[in-house]
Amino acid sequence: MRDIRLIQGDITTIPVDAVVNAANSSLLGGGGVDGAIHRVGGPSILEACRELRATTLPDGLPAGDAVATTAGRLPAKWVIHTVGPVWSAREDRSEVLASAYRRSLEVATELGAASVAFPAVSAGIYGWPHESAAEIALSTVDASPFSGAVTFVLFSDDMLRVFEATRDRLR
C-alpha cells in the first residue's frame, strides 16, 4: 500500500494544495465537514459554489462526482467538493463512494495539486459503516494514479483507529 498519512484533527487547518469537502449535492453548505469548510474558508467558497450552480451544475453535483473551487481563507489552494452516497442496507452504493474518491483525485491531478487532504466521506451523517468506509477510501486512493501526497484527516480518535486498523489489514 502506498504511503497514506492518517491523522486526527481539523481538516480546515491542514496546509495542503487541495482539501476535499464531503459536500451535499446542493454545494451550498451544510453540517459537519461541509459546514466547517464553508465557515472557515469564508464567503468566497459559497460564491464559487453558487456560480457553479448557476452555470455548469444547475441540478447540483451528483453523488460520486467532484468539482473544485477556491479555498478562500483555508490554508489550501483549492477545495474539491465531492458528494458521497448515503449508506443503504438494501442497495450496494460502494462504487459511488469509491467514485467520490477517484473523481476527487482526478480533479486534483487536473489542478496540478501535489497534496490532498480527505475526510472520511459518507462516514458521518450519511451513515456509512466506518470499517467499510475506511476500506473503500484507502483501497481506492491506493489504486489511484494520483502521484501526490494523500492525508486522511479524521475528526475523532475512534475513526483514526478504524482507518489505521484497516490500513494495516490491507498491507
Side-chain angles (χ1 to χ4, degrees), residues 75-90:
K77 295 177 186 172
W78 304 284
V79 173
I80 298 173
H81 306 267
T82 193
V83 179
V86 174
W87 185 78
S88 170
R90 293 184 302 274

Side-chain angles (χ1 to χ4, degrees), residues 8-19:
Q8 188 276 321
D10 177 352
I11 200 165
T12 67
T13 66
I14 306 302
V16 290
D17 288 342
V19 169

Side-chain angles (χ1 to χ4, degrees), residues 4-5 7 9 12 31 43 45 68 71 75 89 93 108 115 134-136 143 153:
I4 298 171
R5 188 170 170 227
I7 62 172
T12 67
I45 297 173
R93 299 176 180 166
S115 56
E135 183 167 346
I136 292 166
V153 183

Side-chain angles (χ1 to χ4, degrees), residues 90-106:
R90 293 184 302 274
E91 179 184 350
D92 183 5
R93 299 176 180 166
S94 300
E95 180 49 38
V96 179
L97 181 55
S99 179
Y101 286 101
R102 260 194 313 279
R103 284 291 301 132
S104 294
L105 291 173
E106 289 169 3

Side-chain angles (χ1 to χ4, degrees), residues 4-66:
I4 298 171
R5 188 170 170 227
L6 305 175
I7 62 172
Q8 188 276 321
D10 177 352
I11 200 165
T12 67
T13 66
I14 306 302
V16 290
D17 288 342
V19 169
V20 176
N21 179 20
N24 61 56
S25 62
S26 79
L27 296 177
L28 302 179
V33 170
D34 192 20
I37 285 173
H38 277 271
R39 267 191 314 282
V40 176
S44 63
I45 297 173
L46 182 57
E47 289 170 23
C49 288
R50 284 187 175 139
E51 178 65 20
L52 286 168
R53 290 299 307 274
T55 58
T56 58
L57 296 168
D59 297 324
L61 185 66
D65 205 353

